CSV table of all heavy atoms in Angstrom, one decimal:
chain,number,residue,atom,x,y,z
A,97,ILE,N,9.2,-7.0,-14.7
A,97,ILE,CA,7.7,-6.7,-14.8
A,97,ILE,C,7.4,-5.6,-13.8
A,97,ILE,O,8.2,-5.3,-12.9
A,97,ILE,CB,6.9,-8.0,-14.5
A,97,ILE,CG1,7.3,-8.5,-13.1
A,97,ILE,CG2,7.1,-9.0,-15.5
A,97,ILE,CD1,6.4,-9.7,-12.6
A,98,ALA,N,6.2,-5.0,-14.0
A,98,ALA,CA,5.6,-4.1,-13.0
A,98,ALA,C,4.2,-4.6,-12.6
A,98,ALA,O,3.5,-5.2,-13.4
A,98,ALA,CB,5.4,-2.7,-13.6
A,99,VAL,N,3.9,-4.4,-11.4
A,99,VAL,CA,2.6,-5.0,-10.8
A,99,VAL,C,1.8,-3.9,-10.1
A,99,VAL,O,2.4,-3.1,-9.3
A,99,VAL,CB,2.9,-6.1,-9.8
A,99,VAL,CG1,1.6,-6.6,-9.2
A,99,VAL,CG2,3.7,-7.3,-10.5
A,100,PHE,N,0.6,-3.8,-10.4
A,100,PHE,CA,-0.4,-2.9,-9.8
A,100,PHE,C,-1.5,-3.7,-9.2
A,100,PHE,O,-1.9,-4.7,-9.7
A,100,PHE,CB,-0.9,-1.9,-10.8
A,100,PHE,CG,0.1,-1.0,-11.4
A,100,PHE,CD1,1.0,-1.5,-12.4
A,100,PHE,CD2,0.3,0.3,-11.0
A,100,PHE,CE1,1.9,-0.6,-13.0
A,100,PHE,CE2,1.2,1.2,-11.6
A,100,PHE,CZ,2.0,0.7,-12.6
A,101,SER,N,-2.0,-3.2,-8.0
A,101,SER,CA,-3.1,-3.9,-7.4
A,101,SER,C,-4.1,-3.0,-6.7
A,101,SER,O,-3.8,-1.8,-6.5
A,101,SER,CB,-2.6,-5.0,-6.4
A,101,SER,OG,-2.0,-4.4,-5.3
A,102,GLY,N,-5.2,-3.5,-6.3
A,102,GLY,CA,-6.2,-2.7,-5.6
A,102,GLY,C,-7.6,-3.3,-5.7
A,102,GLY,O,-7.8,-4.5,-5.6
A,103,SER,N,-8.6,-2.4,-6.0
A,103,SER,CA,-10.0,-2.8,-6.1
A,103,SER,C,-10.7,-2.0,-7.2
A,103,SER,O,-10.3,-0.8,-7.3
A,103,SER,CB,-10.7,-2.7,-4.8
A,103,SER,OG,-12.1,-2.9,-4.9
A,104,SER,N,-11.6,-2.5,-7.9
A,104,SER,CA,-12.4,-1.7,-8.8
A,104,SER,C,-13.2,-0.7,-8.1
A,104,SER,O,-13.4,0.4,-8.6
A,104,SER,CB,-13.3,-2.6,-9.7
A,104,SER,OG,-14.2,-3.3,-8.9
A,105,SER,N,-13.7,-1.0,-6.9
A,105,SER,CA,-14.4,-0.1,-6.0
A,105,SER,C,-14.8,-0.8,-4.8
A,105,SER,O,-15.1,-2.0,-4.8
A,105,SER,CB,-15.7,0.5,-6.7
A,105,SER,OG,-16.6,-0.5,-7.0
A,106,LEU,N,-14.8,-0.1,-3.6
A,106,LEU,CA,-15.2,-0.7,-2.4
A,106,LEU,C,-15.5,0.4,-1.3
A,106,LEU,O,-15.1,1.5,-1.5
A,106,LEU,CB,-14.2,-1.7,-1.9
A,106,LEU,CG,-13.0,-1.2,-1.1
A,106,LEU,CD1,-12.3,-2.4,-0.5
A,106,LEU,CD2,-12.1,-0.4,-1.9
A,107,SER,N,-16.2,0.0,-0.3
A,107,SER,CA,-16.3,0.8,0.9
A,107,SER,C,-15.5,0.2,2.0
A,107,SER,O,-15.2,-1.0,2.0
A,107,SER,CB,-17.8,0.9,1.4
A,107,SER,OG,-18.6,1.4,0.4
A,108,ILE,N,-15.0,1.1,2.9
A,108,ILE,CA,-14.3,0.6,4.1
A,108,ILE,C,-14.9,1.3,5.3
A,108,ILE,O,-14.9,2.5,5.4
A,108,ILE,CB,-12.8,1.0,4.0
A,108,ILE,CG1,-12.1,0.4,2.8
A,108,ILE,CG2,-12.0,0.6,5.3
A,108,ILE,CD1,-10.6,0.7,2.6
A,109,GLY,N,-15.4,0.5,6.2
A,109,GLY,CA,-15.9,1.0,7.5
A,109,GLY,C,-17.4,1.3,7.5
A,109,GLY,O,-18.0,1.4,8.5
A,110,ALA,N,-18.0,1.5,6.3
A,110,ALA,CA,-19.4,1.8,6.2
A,110,ALA,C,-19.8,1.8,4.7
A,110,ALA,O,-19.0,1.7,3.8
A,110,ALA,CB,-19.8,3.2,6.7
A,111,THR,N,-21.1,1.7,4.4
A,111,THR,CA,-21.6,1.8,3.1
A,111,THR,C,-22.0,3.3,2.8
A,111,THR,O,-22.1,4.1,3.7
A,111,THR,CB,-22.8,0.9,2.8
A,111,THR,OG1,-23.9,1.3,3.7
A,111,THR,CG2,-22.5,-0.5,3.1
A,112,GLY,N,-22.2,3.6,1.5
A,112,GLY,CA,-22.7,4.9,1.2
A,112,GLY,C,-21.7,5.6,0.2
A,112,GLY,O,-22.2,6.5,-0.5
A,113,SER,N,-20.5,5.3,0.2
A,113,SER,CA,-19.5,5.9,-0.7
A,113,SER,C,-18.5,4.9,-1.1
A,113,SER,O,-18.0,4.1,-0.2
A,113,SER,CB,-18.9,7.2,-0.2
A,113,SER,OG,-18.1,6.9,1.0
A,114,VAL,N,-18.1,4.9,-2.3
A,114,VAL,CA,-17.1,3.9,-2.8
A,114,VAL,C,-16.0,4.6,-3.6
A,114,VAL,O,-16.2,5.7,-4.1
A,114,VAL,CB,-17.7,2.8,-3.7
A,114,VAL,CG1,-18.7,2.0,-2.8
A,114,VAL,CG2,-18.4,3.4,-4.9
A,115,ASP,N,-14.9,4.0,-3.7
A,115,ASP,CA,-13.8,4.5,-4.6
A,115,ASP,C,-13.0,3.3,-5.0
A,115,ASP,O,-12.9,2.2,-4.3
A,115,ASP,CB,-12.9,5.5,-3.8
A,115,ASP,CG,-13.1,6.9,-4.2
A,115,ASP,OD1,-13.9,7.1,-5.2
A,115,ASP,OD2,-12.6,7.8,-3.6
A,116,PRO,N,-12.2,3.4,-6.1
A,116,PRO,CA,-11.3,2.4,-6.5
A,116,PRO,C,-10.0,2.5,-5.7
A,116,PRO,O,-9.7,3.6,-5.2
A,116,PRO,CB,-11.0,2.7,-8.0
A,116,PRO,CG,-11.2,4.2,-8.1
A,116,PRO,CD,-12.3,4.5,-7.2
A,117,LEU,N,-9.3,1.4,-5.5
A,117,LEU,CA,-8.0,1.4,-4.9
A,117,LEU,C,-7.1,1.0,-6.1
A,117,LEU,O,-7.3,0.0,-6.8
A,117,LEU,CB,-7.8,0.4,-3.8
A,117,LEU,CG,-8.8,0.5,-2.6
A,117,LEU,CD1,-8.5,-0.5,-1.5
A,117,LEU,CD2,-8.8,1.9,-2.0
A,118,TYR,N,-5.9,1.7,-6.3
A,118,TYR,CA,-5.0,1.3,-7.3
A,118,TYR,C,-3.6,1.8,-7.0
A,118,TYR,O,-3.4,3.1,-7.0
A,118,TYR,CB,-5.5,1.8,-8.7
A,118,TYR,CG,-4.9,1.2,-9.9
A,118,TYR,CD1,-5.1,-0.2,-10.2
A,118,TYR,CD2,-4.0,1.9,-10.7
A,118,TYR,CE1,-4.5,-0.8,-11.3
A,118,TYR,CE2,-3.5,1.3,-11.8
A,118,TYR,CZ,-3.7,0.0,-12.1
A,118,TYR,OH,-3.1,-0.6,-13.2
A,119,GLN,N,-2.7,0.9,-6.7
A,119,GLN,CA,-1.3,1.4,-6.4
A,119,GLN,C,-0.3,0.4,-7.0
A,119,GLN,O,-0.6,-0.8,-7.2
A,119,GLN,CB,-1.1,1.3,-4.8
A,119,GLN,CG,-1.9,2.3,-4.1
A,119,GLN,CD,-1.4,3.8,-4.3
A,119,GLN,OE1,-0.3,4.0,-4.6
A,119,GLN,NE2,-2.3,4.7,-4.0
A,120,GLN,N,0.8,1.0,-7.3
A,120,GLN,CA,1.9,0.1,-7.8
A,120,GLN,C,2.6,-0.6,-6.6
A,120,GLN,O,2.9,0.0,-5.6
A,120,GLN,CB,3.0,1.0,-8.6
A,120,GLN,CG,4.1,0.1,-9.2
A,120,GLN,CD,4.9,0.9,-10.2
A,120,GLN,OE1,4.8,2.1,-10.3
A,120,GLN,NE2,5.8,0.2,-10.9
A,121,CYS,N,2.7,-1.9,-6.8
A,121,CYS,CA,3.3,-2.7,-5.7
A,121,CYS,C,4.8,-2.6,-5.7
A,121,CYS,O,5.4,-2.5,-6.8
A,121,CYS,CB,2.9,-4.2,-5.9
A,121,CYS,SG,1.1,-4.5,-5.8
A,122,TYR,N,5.5,-2.7,-4.6
A,122,TYR,CA,6.9,-2.8,-4.5
A,122,TYR,C,7.3,-4.3,-4.6
A,122,TYR,O,6.7,-5.2,-4.0
A,122,TYR,CB,7.4,-2.3,-3.2
A,122,TYR,CG,7.2,-0.8,-2.9
A,122,TYR,CD1,6.6,-0.3,-1.7
A,122,TYR,CD2,7.5,0.1,-3.9
A,122,TYR,CE1,6.4,1.0,-1.5
A,122,TYR,CE2,7.3,1.5,-3.7
A,122,TYR,CZ,6.7,1.9,-2.5
A,122,TYR,OH,6.5,3.2,-2.3
A,123,PRO,N,8.4,-4.6,-5.4
A,123,PRO,CA,8.9,-6.0,-5.4
A,123,PRO,C,9.4,-6.4,-4.0
A,123,PRO,O,9.8,-5.6,-3.2
A,123,PRO,CB,10.1,-5.9,-6.4
A,123,PRO,CG,10.5,-4.5,-6.4
A,123,PRO,CD,9.3,-3.7,-6.1
A,124,VAL,N,9.3,-7.7,-3.7
A,124,VAL,CA,9.6,-8.2,-2.4
A,124,VAL,C,11.0,-7.9,-2.0
A,124,VAL,O,11.3,-7.8,-0.8
A,124,VAL,CB,9.2,-9.7,-2.2
A,124,VAL,CG1,7.7,-9.9,-2.3
A,124,VAL,CG2,10.0,-10.5,-3.3
A,125,ASN,N,12.0,-7.8,-3.0
A,125,ASN,CA,13.4,-7.5,-2.6
A,125,ASN,C,13.6,-6.1,-2.1
A,125,ASN,O,14.7,-5.7,-1.7
A,125,ASN,CB,14.3,-7.9,-3.7
A,125,ASN,CG,14.1,-7.1,-5.0
A,125,ASN,OD1,13.3,-6.2,-5.0
A,125,ASN,ND2,14.8,-7.5,-6.0
A,126,SER,N,12.5,-5.3,-2.2
A,126,SER,CA,12.6,-3.9,-1.7
A,126,SER,C,11.9,-3.7,-0.4
A,126,SER,O,11.9,-2.6,0.2
A,126,SER,CB,12.1,-2.9,-2.7
A,126,SER,OG,10.7,-3.0,-2.8
A,127,TRP,N,11.2,-4.8,0.1
A,127,TRP,CA,10.5,-4.7,1.4
A,127,TRP,C,11.6,-4.5,2.5
A,127,TRP,O,12.7,-4.8,2.4
A,127,TRP,CB,9.8,-6.0,1.6
A,127,TRP,CG,8.6,-6.2,0.8
A,127,TRP,CD1,8.3,-5.5,-0.4
A,127,TRP,CD2,7.6,-7.2,0.9
A,127,TRP,NE1,7.1,-6.0,-0.9
A,127,TRP,CE2,6.7,-7.0,-0.2
A,127,TRP,CE3,7.3,-8.2,1.8
A,127,TRP,CZ2,5.5,-7.8,-0.3
A,127,TRP,CZ3,6.2,-9.0,1.7
A,127,TRP,CH2,5.3,-8.8,0.6
A,128,GLY,N,11.1,-3.9,3.6
A,128,GLY,CA,12.0,-3.6,4.7
A,128,GLY,C,11.5,-4.3,6.0
A,128,GLY,O,10.5,-5.0,6.1
A,129,LEU,N,12.3,-3.9,7.1
A,129,LEU,CA,12.0,-4.4,8.4
A,129,LEU,C,11.4,-3.4,9.3
A,129,LEU,O,10.8,-3.7,10.4
A,129,LEU,CB,13.3,-4.9,9.1
A,129,LEU,CG,14.1,-6.0,8.3
A,129,LEU,CD1,15.4,-6.3,9.1
A,129,LEU,CD2,13.3,-7.2,8.0
A,130,ASN,N,11.4,-2.1,8.9
A,130,ASN,CA,11.0,-1.0,9.8
A,130,ASN,C,10.1,0.0,9.0
A,130,ASN,O,10.5,0.4,7.9
A,130,ASN,CB,12.2,-0.3,10.3
A,130,ASN,CG,13.2,-1.2,11.1
A,130,ASN,OD1,12.9,-1.6,12.2
A,130,ASN,ND2,14.3,-1.5,10.4
A,131,TYR,N,9.0,0.4,9.6
A,131,TYR,CA,8.1,1.3,9.0
A,131,TYR,C,7.6,2.3,10.1
A,131,TYR,O,7.6,2.0,11.3
A,131,TYR,CB,6.9,0.6,8.4
A,131,TYR,CG,7.2,-0.2,7.2
A,131,TYR,CD1,7.7,-1.5,7.3
A,131,TYR,CD2,6.9,0.2,5.9
A,131,TYR,CE1,8.0,-2.3,6.2
A,131,TYR,CE2,7.1,-0.6,4.8
A,131,TYR,CZ,7.7,-1.8,5.0
A,131,TYR,OH,8.0,-2.6,3.9
A,132,PHE,N,7.1,3.5,9.6
A,132,PHE,CA,6.5,4.4,10.5
A,132,PHE,C,5.1,4.7,10.0
A,132,PHE,O,4.9,4.8,8.8
A,132,PHE,CB,7.2,5.7,10.6
A,132,PHE,CG,8.5,5.6,11.5
A,132,PHE,CD1,9.7,5.6,10.9
A,132,PHE,CD2,8.4,5.4,12.9
A,132,PHE,CE1,10.9,5.5,11.7
A,132,PHE,CE2,9.5,5.3,13.6
A,132,PHE,CZ,10.8,5.4,13.0
A,133,ILE,N,4.1,4.7,10.9
A,133,ILE,CA,2.7,5.0,10.6
A,133,ILE,C,2.4,6.4,11.2
A,133,ILE,O,2.6,6.6,12.3
A,133,ILE,CB,1.8,4.0,11.2
A,133,ILE,CG1,2.2,2.6,10.8
A,133,ILE,CG2,0.3,4.3,10.8
A,133,ILE,CD1,2.1,2.3,9.3
A,134,THR,N,1.9,7.3,10.3
A,134,THR,CA,1.5,8.6,10.8
A,134,THR,C,0.0,8.7,10.5
A,134,THR,O,-0.5,8.2,9.5
A,134,THR,CB,2.2,9.7,10.0
A,134,THR,OG1,1.9,9.7,8.6
A,134,THR,CG2,3.7,9.6,10.2
A,135,PRO,N,-0.7,9.4,11.3
A,135,PRO,CA,-2.2,9.6,11.1
A,135,PRO,C,-2.4,10.5,9.9
A,135,PRO,O,-1.5,11.3,9.5
A,135,PRO,CB,-2.7,10.3,12.4
A,135,PRO,CG,-1.4,11.0,12.9
A,135,PRO,CD,-0.3,10.1,12.6
A,136,TYR,N,-3.6,10.5,9.3
A,136,TYR,CA,-4.0,11.3,8.2
A,136,TYR,C,-4.5,12.7,8.8
A,136,TYR,O,-5.3,12.7,9.8
A,136,TYR,CB,-5.1,10.7,7.4
A,136,TYR,CG,-4.7,9.5,6.6
A,136,TYR,CD1,-5.0,8.2,6.9
A,136,TYR,CD2,-3.9,9.7,5.4
A,136,TYR,CE1,-4.6,7.2,6.2
A,136,TYR,CE2,-3.5,8.6,4.7
A,136,TYR,CZ,-3.9,7.4,5.0
A,136,TYR,OH,-3.5,6.3,4.3
A,137,LYS,N,-4.1,13.8,8.3
A,137,LYS,CA,-4.5,15.1,8.8
A,137,LYS,C,-6.0,15.3,8.5
A,137,LYS,O,-6.4,15.0,7.3
A,137,LYS,CB,-3.7,16.2,8.2
A,137,LYS,CG,-4.0,17.5,8.9
A,137,LYS,CD,-3.0,18.6,8.4
A,137,LYS,CE,-3.2,19.9,9.1
A,137,LYS,NZ,-2.2,21.0,8.7
A,138,GLY,N,-6.8,15.7,9.4
A,138,GLY,CA,-8.2,16.0,9.2
A,138,GLY,C,-9.1,14.7,9.3
A,138,GLY,O,-10.3,14.8,9.0
A,139,LYS,N,-8.5,13.6,9.6
A,139,LYS,CA,-9.2,12.3,9.8
A,139,LYS,C,-8.9,11.7,11.2
A,139,LYS,O,-7.8,11.9,11.7
A,139,LYS,CB,-8.9,11.3,8.7
A,139,LYS,CG,-9.0,11.9,7.3
A,139,LYS,CD,-10.4,12.1,6.8
A,139,LYS,CE,-11.1,10.8,6.4
A,139,LYS,NZ,-12.4,11.1,5.9
A,140,ASN,N,-9.9,11.0,11.7
A,140,ASN,CA,-9.6,10.4,13.0
A,140,ASN,C,-9.2,8.9,12.9
A,140,ASN,O,-8.6,8.4,13.8
A,140,ASN,CB,-10.9,10.4,13.9
A,140,ASN,CG,-11.1,11.8,14.5
A,140,ASN,OD1,-10.2,12.6,14.6
A,140,ASN,ND2,-12.4,12.1,14.9
A,141,LYS,N,-9.6,8.2,11.8
A,141,LYS,CA,-9.5,6.8,11.8
A,141,LYS,C,-8.6,6.4,10.6
A,141,LYS,O,-8.5,7.0,9.6
A,141,LYS,CB,-10.8,6.1,11.7
A,141,LYS,CG,-11.8,6.5,12.8
A,141,LYS,CD,-13.2,5.9,12.5
A,141,LYS,CE,-14.2,6.3,13.6
A,141,LYS,NZ,-15.5,5.7,13.3
A,142,PHE,N,-7.9,5.2,10.8
A,142,PHE,CA,-7.2,4.6,9.7
A,142,PHE,C,-7.0,3.1,10.0
A,142,PHE,O,-7.2,2.7,11.1
A,142,PHE,CB,-5.9,5.3,9.4
A,142,PHE,CG,-4.9,5.2,10.5
A,142,PHE,CD1,-4.0,4.1,10.6
A,142,PHE,CD2,-4.7,6.3,11.4
A,142,PHE,CE1,-3.1,4.1,11.6
A,142,PHE,CE2,-3.8,6.3,12.4
A,142,PHE,CZ,-3.0,5.2,12.5
A,143,ILE,N,-6.7,2.3,9.0
A,143,ILE,CA,-6.4,0.9,9.1
A,143,ILE,C,-5.1,0.6,8.5
A,143,ILE,O,-4.7,1.2,7.5
A,143,ILE,CB,-7.5,0.1,8.4
A,143,ILE,CG1,-8.9,0.3,9.0
A,143,ILE,CG2,-7.2,-1.4,8.4
A,143,ILE,CD1,-10.1,-0.3,8.2
A,144,ILE,N,-4.3,-0.3,9.1
A,144,ILE,CA,-3.1,-0.7,8.4
A,144,ILE,C,-3.2,-2.2,8.2
A,144,ILE,O,-3.8,-2.9,8.9
A,144,ILE,CB,-1.8,-0.4,9.3
A,144,ILE,CG1,-1.9,-1.1,10.6
A,144,ILE,CG2,-1.6,1.1,9.4
A,144,ILE,CD1,-0.5,-1.1,11.3
A,145,ARG,N,-2.5,-2.6,7.1
A,145,ARG,CA,-2.4,-4.1,6.8
A,145,ARG,C,-0.9,-4.4,6.6
A,145,ARG,O,-0.2,-3.8,5.9
A,145,ARG,CB,-3.2,-4.4,5.5
A,145,ARG,CG,-3.0,-5.8,5.0
A,145,ARG,CD,-4.0,-6.2,3.9
A,145,ARG,NE,-5.3,-6.3,4.5
A,145,ARG,CZ,-6.4,-6.8,3.8
A,145,ARG,NH1,-6.2,-7.1,2.5
A,145,ARG,NH2,-7.5,-7.0,4.4
A,146,VAL,N,-0.4,-5.4,7.4
A,146,VAL,CA,0.9,-5.9,7.3
A,146,VAL,C,1.0,-7.2,6.7
A,146,VAL,O,0.3,-8.2,7.1
A,146,VAL,CB,1.6,-6.0,8.7
A,146,VAL,CG1,3.0,-6.5,8.7
A,146,VAL,CG2,1.5,-4.6,9.4
A,147,LEU,N,1.8,-7.3,5.6
A,147,LEU,CA,1.8,-8.6,4.8
A,147,LEU,C,3.2,-9.2,4.9
A,147,LEU,O,4.2,-8.4,4.7
A,147,LEU,CB,1.5,-8.2,3.3
A,147,LEU,CG,1.6,-9.3,2.3
A,147,LEU,CD1,0.7,-10.4,2.5
A,147,LEU,CD2,1.4,-8.7,0.9
A,148,ALA,N,3.3,-10.5,5.1
A,148,ALA,CA,4.6,-11.1,5.4
A,148,ALA,C,5.1,-11.8,4.1
A,148,ALA,O,4.4,-12.3,3.3
A,148,ALA,CB,4.5,-12.2,6.5
A,149,LYS,N,6.4,-11.8,4.0
A,149,LYS,CA,7.1,-12.5,2.9
A,149,LYS,C,7.4,-13.9,3.2
A,149,LYS,O,7.3,-14.8,2.3
A,149,LYS,CB,8.4,-11.7,2.5
A,149,LYS,CG,9.3,-12.4,1.5
A,149,LYS,CD,10.6,-11.6,1.3
A,149,LYS,CE,11.5,-12.3,0.3
A,149,LYS,NZ,12.8,-11.6,0.2
A,150,GLU,N,7.8,-14.2,4.5
A,150,GLU,CA,8.3,-15.5,4.8
A,150,GLU,C,7.6,-16.1,6.1
A,150,GLU,O,7.0,-15.3,6.9
A,150,GLU,CB,9.8,-15.5,5.1
A,150,GLU,CG,10.6,-14.9,4.0
A,150,GLU,CD,12.1,-14.7,4.4
A,150,GLU,OE1,12.5,-15.4,5.4
A,150,GLU,OE2,12.7,-13.8,3.9
A,151,ASP,N,7.6,-17.4,6.3
A,151,ASP,CA,7.1,-18.0,7.5
A,151,ASP,C,8.0,-17.5,8.7
A,151,ASP,O,9.1,-17.1,8.5
A,151,ASP,CB,7.2,-19.5,7.4
A,151,ASP,CG,6.3,-20.1,6.4
A,151,ASP,OD1,5.2,-19.5,6.1
A,151,ASP,OD2,6.5,-21.3,6.0
A,152,GLY,N,7.4,-17.5,9.9
A,152,GLY,CA,8.1,-17.1,11.1
A,152,GLY,C,8.4,-15.7,11.2
A,152,GLY,O,9.4,-15.3,11.8
A,153,THR,N,7.5,-14.8,10.6
A,153,THR,CA,7.7,-13.4,10.6
A,153,THR,C,7.1,-12.8,11.9
A,153,THR,O,5.9,-12.9,12.1
A,153,THR,CB,7.1,-12.7,9.4
A,153,THR,OG1,7.7,-13.2,8.2
A,153,THR,CG2,7.2,-11.2,9.5
A,154,LYS,N,7.9,-12.3,12.7
A,154,LYS,CA,7.5,-11.6,14.0
A,154,LYS,C,7.5,-10.1,13.8
A,154,LYS,O,8.5,-9.5,13.5
A,154,LYS,CB,8.4,-12.0,15.2
A,154,LYS,CG,8.4,-13.5,15.5
A,154,LYS,CD,9.3,-13.8,16.7
A,154,LYS,CE,9.3,-15.3,17.0
A,154,LYS,NZ,10.2,-15.6,18.1
A,155,VAL,N,6.3,-9.6,14.0
A,155,VAL,CA,6.1,-8.1,13.8
A,155,VAL,C,5.6,-7.5,15.0
A,155,VAL,O,4.7,-7.9,15.7
A,155,VAL,CB,5.1,-7.9,12.6
A,155,VAL,CG1,5.1,-6.4,12.2
A,155,VAL,CG2,5.3,-8.7,11.4
Side-chain angles (χ1 to χ4, degrees):
I97 57 175
V99 177
F100 296 77
S101 68
S103 171
S104 61
S105 62
L106 83 171
S107 298
I108 299 179
T111 59
S113 63
V114 297
D115 256 352
L117 306 182
Y118 196 65
Q119 293 289 338
Q120 185 168 6
C121 300
Y122 295 131
V124 294
N125 61 4
S126 72
W127 291 11
L129 306 179
N130 304 284
Y131 292 78
F132 286 109
I133 306 298
T134 63
Y136 291 106
K137 189 172 183 179
K139 309 289 282 185
N140 281 343
K141 303 176 183 178
F142 63 86
I143 297 169
I144 62 167
R145 173 169 287 189
V146 177
L147 176 62
K149 174 185 176 183
E150 304 172 27
D151 290 338
T153 298
K154 295 181 180 180
V155 189

